[in-house]
Short mmCIF file of all heavy atoms in Angstrom, two decimals:
data_model
loop_
_atom_site.label_atom_id
_atom_site.label_comp_id
_atom_site.label_asym_id
_atom_site.label_seq_id
_atom_site.Cartn_x
_atom_site.Cartn_y
_atom_site.Cartn_z
N LYS A 1 0.92 -36.24 -24.59
CA LYS A 1 -0.40 -36.74 -24.96
C LYS A 1 -1.51 -35.90 -24.32
O LYS A 1 -1.39 -35.48 -23.17
CB LYS A 1 -0.56 -38.20 -24.53
CG LYS A 1 0.36 -39.16 -25.28
CD LYS A 1 0.12 -40.60 -24.83
CE LYS A 1 1.03 -41.56 -25.58
NZ LYS A 1 0.81 -42.96 -25.15
N ASP A 2 -2.56 -35.68 -25.07
CA ASP A 2 -3.73 -35.00 -24.51
C ASP A 2 -4.61 -36.03 -23.82
O ASP A 2 -4.65 -37.19 -24.19
CB ASP A 2 -4.52 -34.30 -25.63
CG ASP A 2 -3.75 -33.13 -26.22
OD1 ASP A 2 -3.01 -32.50 -25.46
OD2 ASP A 2 -3.90 -32.87 -27.43
N GLY A 3 -5.33 -35.59 -22.81
CA GLY A 3 -6.22 -36.50 -22.11
C GLY A 3 -6.38 -36.11 -20.67
O GLY A 3 -5.77 -35.16 -20.17
N VAL A 4 -7.19 -36.87 -19.96
CA VAL A 4 -7.53 -36.53 -18.57
C VAL A 4 -6.34 -36.67 -17.63
O VAL A 4 -6.33 -36.10 -16.54
CB VAL A 4 -8.69 -37.42 -18.07
CG1 VAL A 4 -9.95 -37.14 -18.84
CG2 VAL A 4 -8.32 -38.90 -18.13
N GLN A 5 -5.33 -37.44 -18.05
CA GLN A 5 -4.18 -37.64 -17.17
C GLN A 5 -3.15 -36.53 -17.29
O GLN A 5 -2.19 -36.50 -16.54
CB GLN A 5 -3.54 -39.00 -17.45
CG GLN A 5 -4.43 -40.17 -17.00
CD GLN A 5 -3.71 -41.49 -17.11
OE1 GLN A 5 -3.31 -41.89 -18.20
NE2 GLN A 5 -3.55 -42.17 -15.99
N GLY A 6 -3.38 -35.60 -18.23
CA GLY A 6 -2.50 -34.44 -18.33
C GLY A 6 -1.19 -34.74 -19.03
O GLY A 6 -0.87 -35.88 -19.37
N ASN A 7 -0.41 -33.68 -19.25
CA ASN A 7 0.88 -33.82 -19.91
C ASN A 7 1.88 -32.83 -19.31
O ASN A 7 1.58 -32.14 -18.33
CB ASN A 7 0.74 -33.61 -21.43
CG ASN A 7 0.05 -32.29 -21.76
OD1 ASN A 7 0.26 -31.28 -21.10
ND2 ASN A 7 -0.79 -32.29 -22.79
N LEU A 8 3.06 -32.76 -19.93
CA LEU A 8 4.11 -31.91 -19.40
C LEU A 8 3.69 -30.44 -19.36
O LEU A 8 4.00 -29.73 -18.40
CB LEU A 8 5.37 -32.06 -20.27
CG LEU A 8 6.56 -31.17 -19.90
CD1 LEU A 8 7.04 -31.45 -18.47
CD2 LEU A 8 7.71 -31.38 -20.88
N GLN A 9 2.98 -29.99 -20.38
CA GLN A 9 2.56 -28.60 -20.41
C GLN A 9 1.64 -28.27 -19.24
O GLN A 9 1.71 -27.18 -18.66
CB GLN A 9 1.86 -28.28 -21.72
CG GLN A 9 1.60 -26.79 -21.95
CD GLN A 9 2.88 -25.97 -21.92
OE1 GLN A 9 3.82 -26.25 -22.65
NE2 GLN A 9 2.93 -24.95 -21.07
N ASP A 10 0.79 -29.22 -18.87
CA ASP A 10 -0.09 -29.02 -17.71
C ASP A 10 0.72 -28.89 -16.42
O ASP A 10 0.39 -28.07 -15.55
CB ASP A 10 -1.06 -30.20 -17.58
CG ASP A 10 -2.03 -30.28 -18.75
OD1 ASP A 10 -2.53 -29.21 -19.18
OD2 ASP A 10 -2.27 -31.39 -19.24
N SER A 11 1.79 -29.68 -16.31
CA SER A 11 2.64 -29.62 -15.12
C SER A 11 3.38 -28.30 -15.05
O SER A 11 3.54 -27.72 -13.97
CB SER A 11 3.64 -30.79 -15.15
OG SER A 11 2.97 -32.02 -15.06
N ILE A 12 3.83 -27.80 -16.21
CA ILE A 12 4.51 -26.51 -16.24
C ILE A 12 3.56 -25.39 -15.83
O ILE A 12 3.90 -24.54 -15.00
CB ILE A 12 5.08 -26.24 -17.65
CG1 ILE A 12 6.20 -27.23 -17.96
CG2 ILE A 12 5.60 -24.80 -17.76
CD1 ILE A 12 6.70 -27.16 -19.39
N ASP A 13 2.35 -25.42 -16.41
CA ASP A 13 1.35 -24.40 -16.06
C ASP A 13 1.02 -24.42 -14.57
O ASP A 13 0.91 -23.38 -13.92
CB ASP A 13 0.08 -24.62 -16.88
CG ASP A 13 0.27 -24.35 -18.36
OD1 ASP A 13 1.26 -23.67 -18.71
OD2 ASP A 13 -0.55 -24.83 -19.17
N PHE A 14 0.86 -25.62 -14.05
CA PHE A 14 0.53 -25.81 -12.64
C PHE A 14 1.62 -25.24 -11.73
O PHE A 14 1.35 -24.47 -10.80
CB PHE A 14 0.35 -27.32 -12.38
CG PHE A 14 0.09 -27.69 -10.94
CD1 PHE A 14 -1.20 -27.62 -10.41
CD2 PHE A 14 1.12 -28.13 -10.13
CE1 PHE A 14 -1.44 -27.98 -9.08
CE2 PHE A 14 0.89 -28.48 -8.81
CZ PHE A 14 -0.39 -28.42 -8.29
N THR A 15 2.87 -25.58 -12.04
CA THR A 15 3.98 -25.15 -11.20
C THR A 15 4.24 -23.65 -11.32
O THR A 15 4.51 -22.97 -10.31
CB THR A 15 5.26 -25.93 -11.56
OG1 THR A 15 4.97 -27.34 -11.57
CG2 THR A 15 6.37 -25.66 -10.56
N LEU A 16 4.16 -23.13 -12.53
CA LEU A 16 4.34 -21.69 -12.72
C LEU A 16 3.25 -20.89 -12.01
O LEU A 16 3.52 -19.86 -11.38
CB LEU A 16 4.34 -21.34 -14.21
CG LEU A 16 5.64 -21.60 -14.97
CD1 LEU A 16 5.43 -21.38 -16.46
CD2 LEU A 16 6.77 -20.71 -14.46
N SER A 17 2.02 -21.37 -12.11
CA SER A 17 0.91 -20.69 -11.44
C SER A 17 1.10 -20.70 -9.93
O SER A 17 0.89 -19.68 -9.25
CB SER A 17 -0.41 -21.37 -11.81
OG SER A 17 -1.49 -20.76 -11.15
N ASN A 18 1.55 -21.83 -9.40
CA ASN A 18 1.78 -21.92 -7.95
C ASN A 18 2.91 -20.99 -7.54
O ASN A 18 2.85 -20.34 -6.48
CB ASN A 18 2.11 -23.36 -7.57
CG ASN A 18 1.89 -23.63 -6.09
OD1 ASN A 18 0.84 -23.29 -5.54
ND2 ASN A 18 2.87 -24.22 -5.45
N PHE A 19 3.94 -20.90 -8.37
CA PHE A 19 5.06 -20.00 -8.09
C PHE A 19 4.60 -18.55 -8.03
O PHE A 19 4.95 -17.81 -7.11
CB PHE A 19 6.14 -20.16 -9.16
CG PHE A 19 7.10 -19.01 -9.22
CD1 PHE A 19 8.04 -18.81 -8.22
CD2 PHE A 19 7.04 -18.09 -10.26
CE1 PHE A 19 8.92 -17.73 -8.26
CE2 PHE A 19 7.91 -17.01 -10.31
CZ PHE A 19 8.85 -16.84 -9.31
N VAL A 20 3.82 -18.14 -9.01
CA VAL A 20 3.36 -16.75 -9.07
C VAL A 20 2.55 -16.40 -7.82
O VAL A 20 2.75 -15.35 -7.19
CB VAL A 20 2.52 -16.50 -10.34
CG1 VAL A 20 1.83 -15.14 -10.28
CG2 VAL A 20 3.41 -16.58 -11.58
N GLU A 21 1.62 -17.29 -7.45
CA GLU A 21 0.78 -17.02 -6.29
C GLU A 21 1.58 -17.02 -4.99
O GLU A 21 1.35 -16.20 -4.10
CB GLU A 21 -0.35 -18.06 -6.21
CG GLU A 21 -1.34 -17.98 -7.36
CD GLU A 21 -2.00 -16.62 -7.47
OE1 GLU A 21 -2.33 -16.03 -6.42
OE2 GLU A 21 -2.17 -16.13 -8.61
N MET A 22 2.55 -17.95 -4.89
CA MET A 22 3.37 -17.98 -3.67
C MET A 22 4.25 -16.75 -3.56
O MET A 22 4.44 -16.20 -2.46
CB MET A 22 4.24 -19.25 -3.67
CG MET A 22 3.48 -20.53 -3.36
SD MET A 22 4.56 -21.97 -3.23
CE MET A 22 5.39 -21.66 -1.67
N ASN A 23 4.78 -16.30 -4.68
CA ASN A 23 5.62 -15.11 -4.64
C ASN A 23 4.81 -13.88 -4.22
O ASN A 23 5.30 -13.03 -3.46
CB ASN A 23 6.27 -14.88 -6.00
CG ASN A 23 7.36 -13.83 -5.94
OD1 ASN A 23 8.21 -13.85 -5.06
ND2 ASN A 23 7.32 -12.87 -6.86
N LYS A 24 3.58 -13.78 -4.71
CA LYS A 24 2.73 -12.66 -4.32
C LYS A 24 2.46 -12.67 -2.82
O LYS A 24 2.49 -11.63 -2.16
CB LYS A 24 1.40 -12.72 -5.08
CG LYS A 24 1.52 -12.39 -6.57
CD LYS A 24 0.18 -12.53 -7.26
CE LYS A 24 0.28 -12.19 -8.74
NZ LYS A 24 -1.01 -12.38 -9.45
N LEU A 25 2.20 -13.85 -2.28
CA LEU A 25 1.95 -13.97 -0.84
C LEU A 25 3.20 -13.64 -0.04
O LEU A 25 3.15 -12.96 0.99
CB LEU A 25 1.48 -15.40 -0.51
CG LEU A 25 0.11 -15.80 -1.05
CD1 LEU A 25 -0.09 -17.30 -0.93
CD2 LEU A 25 -1.00 -15.06 -0.30
N TRP A 26 4.34 -14.11 -0.55
CA TRP A 26 5.62 -13.87 0.13
C TRP A 26 5.95 -12.37 0.16
O TRP A 26 6.38 -11.84 1.18
CB TRP A 26 6.71 -14.65 -0.60
CG TRP A 26 8.06 -14.62 0.04
CD1 TRP A 26 8.34 -14.78 1.37
CD2 TRP A 26 9.31 -14.42 -0.62
NE1 TRP A 26 9.72 -14.70 1.57
CE2 TRP A 26 10.33 -14.49 0.37
CE3 TRP A 26 9.68 -14.22 -1.94
CZ2 TRP A 26 11.68 -14.34 0.06
CZ3 TRP A 26 11.03 -14.08 -2.24
CH2 TRP A 26 12.02 -14.14 -1.25
N VAL A 27 5.71 -11.70 -0.94
CA VAL A 27 5.96 -10.25 -1.00
C VAL A 27 5.00 -9.52 -0.07
O VAL A 27 5.38 -8.56 0.61
CB VAL A 27 5.81 -9.74 -2.45
CG1 VAL A 27 5.82 -8.22 -2.49
CG2 VAL A 27 6.92 -10.30 -3.33
N ARG A 28 3.76 -9.99 -0.01
CA ARG A 28 2.76 -9.34 0.83
C ARG A 28 3.13 -9.40 2.31
O ARG A 28 2.72 -8.54 3.10
CB ARG A 28 1.39 -9.99 0.60
CG ARG A 28 0.22 -9.12 1.07
CD ARG A 28 -1.10 -9.83 0.85
NE ARG A 28 -1.27 -10.15 -0.56
CZ ARG A 28 -2.13 -11.06 -1.02
NH1 ARG A 28 -2.88 -11.75 -0.16
NH2 ARG A 28 -2.24 -11.29 -2.31
N LEU A 29 3.90 -10.41 2.70
CA LEU A 29 4.33 -10.51 4.09
C LEU A 29 5.08 -9.26 4.54
O LEU A 29 5.01 -8.88 5.71
CB LEU A 29 5.26 -11.72 4.26
CG LEU A 29 4.64 -13.06 4.63
CD1 LEU A 29 5.70 -14.15 4.62
CD2 LEU A 29 3.96 -13.00 5.99
N GLN A 30 5.79 -8.64 3.61
CA GLN A 30 6.59 -7.46 3.94
C GLN A 30 5.72 -6.29 4.40
O GLN A 30 6.18 -5.42 5.13
CB GLN A 30 7.42 -7.04 2.72
CG GLN A 30 8.45 -5.96 2.99
CD GLN A 30 9.56 -6.43 3.92
OE1 GLN A 30 10.13 -7.49 3.73
NE2 GLN A 30 9.86 -5.64 4.94
N HIS A 31 4.48 -6.29 3.99
CA HIS A 31 3.61 -5.14 4.24
C HIS A 31 2.57 -5.41 5.33
O HIS A 31 1.61 -4.67 5.47
CB HIS A 31 2.91 -4.74 2.94
CG HIS A 31 3.87 -4.53 1.80
ND1 HIS A 31 4.75 -3.47 1.76
CD2 HIS A 31 4.12 -5.28 0.70
CE1 HIS A 31 5.47 -3.56 0.65
NE2 HIS A 31 5.12 -4.65 0.00
N GLN A 32 2.78 -6.50 6.09
CA GLN A 32 1.89 -6.80 7.20
C GLN A 32 2.40 -6.17 8.48
O GLN A 32 3.60 -5.98 8.67
CB GLN A 32 1.78 -8.32 7.39
CG GLN A 32 1.27 -9.07 6.17
CD GLN A 32 -0.16 -8.74 5.84
OE1 GLN A 32 -1.05 -8.92 6.67
NE2 GLN A 32 -0.40 -8.27 4.63
N GLY A 33 1.50 -5.85 9.40
CA GLY A 33 1.90 -5.37 10.72
C GLY A 33 2.35 -3.93 10.75
O GLY A 33 2.12 -3.14 9.83
N LYS A 34 3.04 -3.58 11.83
CA LYS A 34 3.45 -2.20 12.08
C LYS A 34 4.73 -1.85 11.33
O LYS A 34 5.57 -2.70 11.08
CB LYS A 34 3.67 -1.99 13.58
CG LYS A 34 2.42 -2.28 14.43
CD LYS A 34 2.73 -2.15 15.91
CE LYS A 34 1.50 -2.46 16.75
NZ LYS A 34 1.79 -2.36 18.21
N SER A 35 4.86 -0.57 11.01
CA SER A 35 6.03 -0.11 10.25
C SER A 35 7.32 -0.29 11.03
O SER A 35 8.38 -0.54 10.46
CB SER A 35 5.86 1.37 9.86
OG SER A 35 5.67 2.17 11.01
#
């Protein structure tokens, strides 16, 4: 259903977006600090 309470597609978008951002941060950890 469409509406302010959201639907399954909104949950998928939310979780996928969070995954992408977390993975980017996780990968960036490898390049912090001294070699």
Side-chain angles (χ1 to χ4, degrees):
K1 294 182 180 180
D2 292 328
V4 295
Q5 291 187 299
N7 54 37
L8 177 60
Q9 190 58 55
D10 295 318
S11 296
I12 293 172
D13 292 341
F14 176 83
T15 309
L16 281 173
S17 178
N18 200 48
F19 161 72
V20 170
E21 294 302 320
M22 285 185 73
N23 191 48
K24 289 178 179 177
L25 292 167
W26 186 45
V27 170
R28 198 181 302 161
L29 269 174
Q30 189 66 48
H31 307 290
Q32 301 293 303
K34 301 176 181 178
S35 58

